[in-house]
Each structure stands twice: as structure tokens, then as C-alpha cells.
Amino acid sequence: MSGRIVIVDYGMGNIRSVYQAMRHGAPEADVRVTSDAAEVLAADRVILPGQGAMPDCMRFLRESGLQDAVLKMAETHPLFGVCIGEQMLLDASDETHGDLPTGGLGLIPGHCVRFRPEDMQLADGTRLKVPHMGWNNVRQSPHAMWAGVEDGAMFYFVHSFHAQVKDPAHSVGKTQYGAPETPAFTCAIARDNIFATQFHPEKSSTAGLTLYRNFASWQP
């Protein structure tokens, strides 16, 4: 039973698209969008979306009064971070506010870094664009949230920064972008009751809807 699934609305997420995808993926679920901390704390499952710049997302989350509720729920309840919502789970990001790195929620040890320009040049001189935008394959590491999703399935990305986790066990999905010799970057992270993706499941057709459906019944 999925119970009540709350999408945290702090003013910086692709809220409507996430809501529609969650409702479509799990039509039996009680899905709500809220900016009320009490409603977040009363939920059975929490989705933390985000888009734009991480410094703004962290500031809006803090100023909305929802940060403490998200941290409390992350201790015991299933939490799904999406796009910048994934980056916010880490300790910090190189995406600066002024001259200082942006602090994250510290739920998964790691750092968010920008794609390196030297990795974006192909042997024929072609330069790949940053942000990384469009469809790309995701190679999975074992995790219950991937159930029913083919390894190598395509997902939709829009981002210039990506996660570097300290513990390789927290990386559960990787994508190749850059010169062929460039290591694949982590695009899905997980720890205990937390799962998060750099890509947008709500923009990723059947594979993305499957992730939302899996989240509704995931028992970490």
C-alpha cells in the first residue's frame, strides 16, 4: 500500500509534471503537493524535486520552512530526490553562491561537480555541449527501484553539474557523457530509504513512470 505521497513544493521544482507522472505511474496512490511542513511530516513517502540552480533551491527550501521536515522524514521514510533534488542530498556543490560552495542536506556523503571542459572535446575536435541535455542511457547497479526498468534504458537529462559520491555503494546508476575515455558519471544515488536521480523521470516516458510506480510500493 503506497499511502500518502507528498511532493514538496518550495517554489523550485517541476511540480506539475512530477505530480502528473506520479499520478499516472501509481493511480491508486494518494498524491499531494504541499508547502506545509506539517503535511510533509504526516506523509508516508516524500518526493523532493528541484530545477534551476542549486544555491537557489537550497535557499528556497530553507526559507520555506520545509528543510527540517524533509530532513526528519529522510530519517525513516522513503524519499525520492529528482534532478536538483538529487544534488541537494549531498554535502555540497561546486555551484557557488558568490565565492562559496553551496552546502547541501548532507544525507548522502558526496559532492556535486561541473562537467570538465577538457572532457567535452572529442578526438575529431567536436565539443559536446554543457548543459548535458537530452536522452541518454543509464547503466544500473542493483536496487529495488529499478524493477521493471531495462538496464541501459533511456532517460531525459538537463544539467551541468553531477554527483560524486564518497562511497561507491551509493552510486546505483551511471551515464556516459563526454569523450569515450571519460569515466561514466553517477546519475542515480541511493542509501537505505533514499533514492534519487539526476535525470527527470517525469520526462522519461515509460521507464520514468515505472520508477514512480516502483516508489509507490518500495519497501526499503
Side-chain angles (χ1 to χ4, degrees):
M1 187 69 180
S2 55
R4 182 180 300 177
I5 301 172
V6 160
I7 301 168
V8 181
D9 181 6
Y10 58 97
M12 288 295 291
N14 191 21
I15 302 296
R16 181 169 177 80
S17 294
V18 173
Y19 173 80
Q20 295 290 355
M22 187 71 248
R23 290 286 296 126
H24 188 77
E28 75 288 351
D30 177 9
V31 183
R32 305 185 184 190
V33 174
T34 188
S35 56
D36 184 343
E39 194 166 6
V40 173
L41 291 169
D44 297 290
R45 301 169 187 274
V46 176
I47 298 175
L48 179 66
Q51 66 178 23
M54 182 166 157
D56 293 332
C57 286
M58 287 301 304
R59 177 171 61 84
F60 274 65
L61 182 65
R62 183 174 61 253
E63 293 177 353
S64 70
L66 294 167
Q67 178 170 304
D68 287 346
V70 170
L71 288 170
K72 181 65 176 177
M73 294 299 284
E75 294 176 3
T76 53
H77 289 66
L79 172 68
F80 192 171
V82 177
C83 194
I84 305 297
E86 179 225 31
Q87 297 180 12
M88 293 164 72
L89 302 179
L90 302 173
D91 295 317
S93 174
D94 286 345
E95 190 170 6
T96 59
H97 179 68
D99 295 327
L100 298 175
T102 300
L105 296 174
L107 293 170
I108 294 180
H111 203 88
C112 202
V113 300
R114 187 177 177 87
F115 285 111
R116 301 193 311 166
E118 56 267 35
D119 292 335
M120 297 297 106
Q121 176 125 11
L122 303 182
D124 64 1
T126 301
R127 292 199 65 82
L128 298 175
K129 293 182 179 180
V130 176
H132 171 216
M133 182 181 299
W135 295 86
N136 208 338
N137 302 90
V138 173
R139 292 296 178 186
Q140 305 167 12
S141 295
H143 194 281
M145 280 285 288
W146 293 123
V149 179
E150 182 180 358
D151 189 21
M154 301 282 280
F155 289 91
Y156 189 82
F157 291 80
V158 183
H159 65 119
S160 300
F161 292 77
H162 60 88
Q164 286 187 342
V165 291
K166 291 184 178 178
D167 185 345
H170 293 155
S171 175
V172 296
K174 289 189 175 184
T175 293
Q176 176 67 44
Y177 189 65
E181 65 273 12
T182 304
F185 70 89
T186 292
C187 65
I189 61 178
R191 176 184 65 78
D192 302 326
N193 54 298
I194 298 170
F195 182 89
T197 65
Q198 179 62 68
F199 54 80
H200 287 272
E202 70 279 2
K203 297 180 180 180
S204 299
S205 191
T206 302
L209 293 179
T210 300
L211 280 181
Y212 281 122
R213 183 170 66 248
N214 290 344
F215 181 65
S217 58
W218 178 35
Q219 297 295 333

